Amino acid sequence: MSGSSQATWLATFGLLGLVLLFIFTRARGFAAAPLASPRMRRVASRYLPALVAGLVGCLVGIAVLAQSGQVSERAVSSGPVLTLIVLAVLLSLVIAVLVPVLGFTLGERLKRRGELEAASCVTARAFLALLAGGVGVLITMFAAFALTNPAPGG
């Protein structure tokens, strides 16, 4: 594998890891707020890690199928690889939307209590999580297709 291929893979998976870490940190912050409901805490502590594990599992599955030599143009366009790619993108979309919903809900609760400054801060953080989630979806799509095209000789 050439140096540029290694750098591309490192950058892709490093950025994906940073995005997931940022989103996970935001979710924990939203769930730790005093106005967060038990359901919000459950989403941040149980469901979000399960979604991230599913996303990583899909990417690992794509990599395993690619290394087994079963990936061809036909296999990517119909088969288990396509299923894993679609599932990875859908999981990424759910993660990208779930955490901002927690933040926007918390912001509305703060707004109803009259804490407008805190509400705008939480809403801004939720919007940043939404942007990061969108970037995460794009990176996930790139990573999934990069895994189906392993570099020659590697």
Side-chain angles (χ1 to χ4, degrees):
M1 187 181 288
S2 70
S4 62
S5 293
Q6 288 177 350
T8 301
W9 283 56
L10 183 65
T12 300
F13 291 104
L15 284 173
L16 184 59
L18 286 175
V19 166
L20 290 175
L21 180 65
F22 177 80
I23 289 174
F24 191 73
T25 303
R26 287 288 178 225
R28 293 295 233 181
F30 294 147
L35 289 178
S37 67
R39 183 179 300 165
M40 291 173 72
R41 290 185 179 93
R42 191 171 40 248
V43 165
S45 66
R46 293 184 191 160
Y47 302 137
L48 186 61
L51 289 169
V52 170
L55 174 62
V56 170
C58 287
L59 292 175
V60 168
I62 293 167
V64 167
L65 287 175
Q67 293 300 321
S68 69
Q70 297 178 1
V71 177
S72 63
E73 278 187 39
R74 185 166 186 249
V76 171
S77 64
S78 64
V81 175
L82 179 65
T83 303
L84 287 174
I85 290 171
V86 170
L87 188 58
V89 171
L90 288 176
L91 286 171
S92 185
L93 279 169
V94 170
I95 292 168
V97 172
L98 186 65
V99 175
V101 166
L102 295 177
F104 290 133
T105 302
L106 187 60
E108 286 299 314
R109 288 180 182 176
L110 286 167
K111 200 180 294 183
R112 271 189 258 135
R113 287 186 69 185
E115 300 175 24
L116 299 178
E117 190 173 316
S120 68
C121 182
V122 167
T123 303
R125 289 182 179 151
F127 185 70
L128 283 175
L130 183 64
L131 290 176
V135 168
V137 170
L138 295 174
I139 294 171
T140 299
M141 289 189 304
F142 181 79
F145 287 115
L147 288 171
T148 62
N149 297 312

